[in-house]
Amino acid sequence: MIQRPEYLRFLQEWREKQAIKVVTGIRRCGKSTLFDLYRDFLKQDGVSDAQIIAINLEDVAFEDLHNYRALYDYVKARMVPDKMNYIFLDEIQHVEKYEKAVDSLFVQKNADVYMTGSNAYFMSGELATLLSGRFVELKMLPLSFAEYANAFPGQTNREELYRNYVYNSSFPYTVQLTNRRNIHEYLDGLFNTVVLNDIVERKNIQDPGMLKSVIRFLFDNIGNLCSAKKIADAMTSAGRKISNHTVENYLEGLTDSLLMYRVGRYDVKGKEYLRLLDKYYLADVGLRYYLLGTRNVDQGHILENVVYLELLRRGYRVYVGKSGSGEVDFVAQDYAGNTEYYQVSWSVRDEQTLQRELAPLDSIPDHNPKTLLTMDNDPPVSHNGIRQTYVLDWLLRQ
């Protein structure tokens, strides 16, 4: 199993604290494996098998537990009295009114509850209301570049590793697959499960073909400013009429499924959030190659996608920045309210390109850290306080 030290540390730090530990993330990003790693840690720390109750609700063996009362009764009957019980509920969204079972288990003094879900919407509504202030959420992603590199200790060519990382996918299981055909078949199954189960079924979409057309458009426009109207106009121009409202419904399904992330805009000078136009990034850029192949690939936008996901992993809230007429790729804010600015470019060895990328950062009047990330493997340099950094060094920084 690939070690996920940052995620594992989160669970260790919250062990036996008065909070339900909720792990969310797109299907097959490694949530169940993380629980396996954590259970191994617990056993090494002296926890007995009897104190661990693990239920994967996608396993047909537990189909009878898709009722909240049946789930609660099953777990309660297996809890060891007078000892802490570690309860793992994998893919909890399959249980109708699961929040009632979770709440009842949480109030037991000898229960430490952990659960996963593959959709953003399962954390909304009743659970958030019922357990307000009583749960912590770990937002999990597929492998980071550093985690991917650790899976190939014999590979020292970082640029080749990066090419494989974006082309072959960052989903953990793909590192075990030996050829592109197997990877394609694996991603095909994953993609169709997410689209059909997590989007079409939940949103009651009547035209899956149109949904896939919208997905193809978004995959082909990673890092470009988009709106529902722009997407609807593009579909109509291609001979497939669709309303703005329908596109919005599709976009909600795509982001709820955690297949894509919607990134809003922030006016750096005006210090306000902008409502018009967003950008969309993929949970895994390997899915872009799976669906669209290698045609018309903008490597700069692929790299931008990778950097966006890494900023999320490092705990930032991320926005697209607007500074006057210029655009800053990412405004990253940490939990303490500190702000950093990032510009991403494949190469800036051309002087005109360098000046174009620096201009939006130069126009920002504050003195928060500003970084230009590129694939140019050159010594670090500062441009009037803007740090230019080799992006693979930055991605591998622990």
Side-chain angles (χ1 to χ4, degrees):
M1 290 187 290
I2 298 170
Q3 298 299 309
R4 314 293 298 271
E6 293 300 320
Y7 295 136
L8 187 58
R9 190 175 301 119
F10 177 93
L11 297 182
Q12 291 167 344
E13 289 174 353
W14 281 96
R15 178 183 175 183
E16 296 185 18
K17 288 186 169 63
Q18 282 297 301
I20 297 165
K21 276 64 74 174
V22 181
V23 182
T24 59
I26 188 172
R27 289 175 181 269
R28 304 186 197 174
C29 70
K31 300 185 296 296
S32 298
T33 302
L34 176 64
F35 277 1
D36 287 339
L37 291 167
Y38 183 56
R39 287 193 288 267
D40 287 345
F41 161 78
L42 291 174
K43 291 174 185 178
Q44 291 168 10
D45 199 45
V47 175
S48 69
D49 287 338
Q51 292 171 259
I52 297 174
I53 303 169
I55 301 170
N56 186 338
L57 291 151
E58 289 200 323
D59 187 336
V60 71
F62 296 111
E63 193 171 18
D64 291 344
L65 303 184
H66 286 191
N67 170 276
Y68 77 89
R69 183 72 206 205
L71 175 62
Y72 172 77
D73 290 343
Y74 178 92
V75 174
K76 191 71 169 64
R78 284 158 178 78
M79 290 176 63
V80 178
D82 303 322
K83 285 190 177 181
M84 182 59 69
N85 293 267
Y86 299 87
I87 301 164
F88 296 88
L89 307 173
D90 227 341
E91 301 298 352
I92 191 69
Q93 74 272 4
H94 292 290
V95 179
E96 186 180 2
K97 298 181 180 178
Y98 66 86
E99 62 276 0
K100 294 187 176 183
V102 170
D103 184 46
S104 296
L105 291 170
F106 173 71
V107 298
Q108 307 298 314
K109 294 187 182 301
N110 61 334
D112 196 18
V113 182
Y114 302 79
M115 63 186 193
T116 73
S118 295
N119 320 106
Y121 57 80
F122 98 97
M123 278 298 294
S124 63
E126 286 190 50
L127 182 67
T129 302
L130 186 65
L131 302 179
S132 179
R134 292 196 283 172
F135 67 86
V136 291
E137 183 181 3
L138 172 61
K139 297 179 180 180
M140 198 169 182
L141 290 161
L143 299 177
S144 68
F145 181 58
E147 290 169 333
Y148 185 86
N150 286 337
F152 298 94
Q155 173 60 275
T156 57
N157 186 326
R158 291 185 294 174
E159 295 199 3
E160 183 178 345
L161 263 176
Y162 173 81
R163 286 193 296 271
N164 292 339
Y165 174 68
V166 297
Y167 182 56
N168 289 337
S169 166
S170 60
F171 283 102
Y173 187 69
T174 60
V175 303
Q176 302 178 44
L177 302 178
T178 55
N179 61 63
R180 182 62 190 169
R181 178 179 177 180
N182 290 343
I183 292 171
H184 183 91
E185 289 173 349
Y186 177 79
L187 293 179
D188 183 66
L190 169 61
F191 177 79
N192 284 299
T193 298
V194 171
V195 171
L196 296 176
N197 290 19
D198 295 343
I199 306 176
V200 171
E201 184 177 324
R202 177 183 175 259
K203 303 293 287 184
N204 194 26
I205 290 172
Q206 303 301 310
D207 188 352
M210 178 62 86
L211 171 64
K212 289 186 177 180
S213 294
V214 170
I215 291 173
R216 293 176 71 89
F217 177 87
L218 286 168
F219 280 23
D220 205 26
N221 283 273
I222 291 171
N224 290 328
L225 290 172
C226 281
S227 66
K229 183 179 185 306
K230 179 179 178 180
I231 297 168
D233 289 346
M235 296 296 103
T236 301
S237 296
R240 303 201 67 185
K241 190 171 178 58
I242 185 174
S243 70
N244 293 358
H245 175 74
T246 300
V247 172
E248 280 288 0
N249 189 46
Y250 290 178
L251 292 175
E252 185 178 86
L254 285 164
T255 53
D256 279 350
S257 71
L258 304 175
L259 177 64
M260 301 200 78
Y261 290 83
R262 187 199 302 247
V263 186
R265 298 167 73 217
Y266 179 76
D267 187 332
V268 175
K269 293 183 177 179
K271 305 294 182 185
E272 62 179 345
Y273 301 102
L274 304 174
R275 294 185 178 182
L276 297 177
L277 300 175
D278 300 306
K279 289 190 177 184
Y280 290 85
Y281 294 101
L282 268 164
D284 168 66
V285 294
L287 287 168
R288 192 260 178 223
Y289 287 100
Y290 147 76
L291 192 64
L292 301 180
T294 57
R295 66 175 181 82
N296 301 326
V297 177
D298 185 326
Q299 293 293 347
H301 280 163
I302 295 291
L303 181 60
E304 197 177 305
N305 199 132
V306 171
V307 169
Y308 168 74
L309 295 175
E310 185 61 25
L311 288 169
L312 289 187
R313 289 187 187 93
R314 296 181 185 185
Y316 292 99
R317 295 188 301 274
V318 186
Y319 306 92
V320 174
K322 178 182 179 297
S323 180
S325 60
E327 181 182 287
V328 179
D329 287 328
F330 300 120
V331 179
Q333 298 175 343
D334 67 16
Y335 291 112
N338 301 308
T339 300
E340 299 177 14
Y341 304 105
Y342 291 88
Q343 200 77 332
V344 183
S345 179
W346 186 257
S347 175
V348 293
R349 286 178 175 159
D350 173 75
E351 184 63 26
Q352 281 190 321
T353 303
L354 174 62
Q355 294 307 317
R356 185 181 70 243
E357 298 293 343
L358 291 175
L361 295 174
D362 266 329
S363 72
I364 300 172
D366 63 46
H367 298 289
N368 291 314
K370 304 178 179 85
T371 304
L372 172 61
L373 297 171
T374 81
M375 281 292 286
D376 298 326
N377 190 2
D378 300 328
V381 62
S382 176
H383 306 279
N384 192 29
I386 300 168
R387 296 169 298 179
Q388 181 181 332
T389 301
Y390 180 41
V391 68
L392 297 189
D393 283 343
W394 182 81
L395 288 168
L396 291 169
R397 191 179 302 151
Q398 299 296 306

